[in-house]
Amino acid sequence: MAWWSALLLFLVTVVLMEGFAYAMHRWVMHGPGWFLHKSHHRARDGHWELNDLYAVIFAVPSIAMIYGALHYGWWPGFVWIGAGVAAYGMIYFGFHDVIVHRRVPTRYLPKGAYMKRIVQAHRLHHVVETREGNVSFGFIVAPRPEDLKAELKRRGRKGLRQSTVPHASIFAED
């Protein structure tokens, strides 16, 4: 396989993974897979949560494609698709677990508009504790926080987490 087609396949896979992640998050994790994902919408006790099994589940096809292409003579493009899936997983881990949820200690503070938007969108996703009524299911591409707040308000604020801070609200401008 030519290097340019391998690189293109890798990059297209990384980009398309955002759509796949959105669909899986919205219709599987907040659907029949809620039994694992609900641990992510609750306070974590310890380093791990059941939701972490999704990382293993999504790694299996990536590993299988790379291994199959390298050791069983499968189509060589599977190496680059598998690598693209793995790269998206690493990007997701960096944004989601390190920057947003701070599961790995760091001094990094989001300063740019894009990074602030990603963090705000994910936090607005987490103000809803229930399976239904959530907003912002993607991760690398995030709607404007103002639009997410308006949507949560339009839905009657169903399932919103009760604040532990007196008089705190994501709707402070109301």
Side-chain angles (χ1 to χ4, degrees):
M1 173 170 273
W3 70 267
W4 59 268
S5 58
L7 180 61
L8 181 63
L9 193 54
F10 171 81
L11 294 173
V12 166
T13 300
V14 172
V15 169
L16 292 177
M17 279 302 297
E18 178 68 1
F20 177 79
Y22 177 95
M24 292 302 292
H25 189 190
R26 182 163 188 181
W27 291 295
V28 174
M29 293 176 179
H30 281 262
W34 180 250
F35 72 100
L36 294 176
H37 188 61
K38 70 181 171 185
S39 67
H40 187 60
H41 284 263
R42 309 278 190 274
R44 185 176 56 252
D45 183 29
H47 294 292
W48 303 99
E49 53 193 43
L50 280 175
N51 185 68
D52 294 333
L53 289 173
Y54 279 116
V56 176
I57 292 166
F58 296 140
V60 168
S62 173
I63 293 166
M65 282 189 278
I66 294 168
Y67 192 83
L70 293 176
H71 295 285
Y72 294 120
W74 296 357
W75 178 57
F78 283 141
V79 168
W80 302 105
I81 294 171
V85 171
Y88 182 86
M90 288 184 275
I91 293 165
Y92 182 89
F93 175 79
F95 275 108
H96 183 263
D97 292 317
V98 177
I99 294 170
V100 175
H101 289 291
R102 303 210 171 269
R103 291 180 73 179
V104 176
T106 179
R107 292 183 176 185
Y108 175 80
L109 290 173
K111 294 180 182 145
Y114 170 75
M115 291 303 293
K116 286 180 179 180
R117 182 175 176 158
I118 295 293
V119 171
Q120 286 180 303
H122 196 72
R123 289 195 175 139
L124 287 167
H125 174 78
H126 276 275
V127 301
V128 178
E129 289 184 300
T130 58
R131 175 175 158 167
E132 297 88 15
N134 252 293
V135 294
S136 190
F137 293 93
F139 205 77
I140 306 304
V141 177
R144 294 175 346 129
E146 300 79 20
D147 297 340
L148 297 174
K149 288 178 185 181
E151 180 60 21
L152 287 167
K153 187 176 179 181
R154 186 191 70 73
R155 293 178 183 179
R157 301 176 182 169
K158 289 182 187 170
L160 254 54
R161 178 183 316 276
Q162 295 299 314
S163 175
T164 57
V165 179
H167 309 294
S169 173
I170 62 163
F171 301 99
E173 67 275 1
D174 288 354

